[in-house]
Amino acid sequence: MTEPTTPDPALDAAAAETAAALFKTLANPMRLRLLAALRAGPLAVGALQDAVDAPQSAVSVHLMRMRGDGLVTCHRSAADARIMLYALADPRIGRLLDAALAR
C-alpha cells in the first residue's frame, strides 16, 4: 500500500492574491460563456455577441476586463484591419473551463 502524498505547502500571500483575482474574473457567467466561445479560435466582437446573445457594449466591457487580467488577447484581422479578433491568451484557460464544467 502506498502512503498518501503530502499536499503542497500553503500558497504564499502573493500567489494566493493572484489566484483569487483570476477566480474573481472567472466568477461571471457572461465571461465564462465568452471564454468558452473562444476555445474554438479567435473571434470578432460581433461573433462573440451572437455566441452569447448579448449587446456589443456588454461584450466589450467583459473582453476589456479579461484582456486586462491576461485571459484573452486581441489583434487586428489580417483580412480587414478594422476588425479586432479576440483569442484565449493561454490554452490552459480552456482546460480550466473544462475542469470547472466537468461533473
Side-chain angles (χ1 to χ4, degrees), residues 16-28 31 65 71 96 100:
E17 287 294 327
T18 300
L22 169 67
F23 286 116
K24 184 175 181 182
T25 299
L26 292 173
N28 178 284
R31 289 193 281 266
R65 166 79 183 264
L71 297 177
L96 181 60

Side-chain angles (χ1 to χ4, degrees), residues 30-49 51-52 59 62-64 66-67 70-75 84-91 93-95 97-98:
M30 174 74 70
R31 289 193 281 266
L32 289 174
R33 293 179 67 209
L34 289 166
L35 291 170
L38 291 171
R39 285 192 300 191
L43 292 171
V45 173
L48 288 166
Q49 275 181 257
V52 299
V59 170
H62 289 294
L63 288 170
M64 186 170 35
M66 292 188 296
R67 189 172 172 200
L71 297 177
V72 299
T73 61
C74 168
H75 65 277
M84 299 300 290
L85 297 173
Y86 288 84
L88 295 179
D90 187 316
I93 296 165
R95 292 195 302 271
L97 284 173
D98 291 341

Side-chain angles (χ1 to χ4, degrees), residues 5-18:
T5 59
T6 305
D8 289 337
L11 291 174
D12 65 37
E17 287 294 327
T18 300

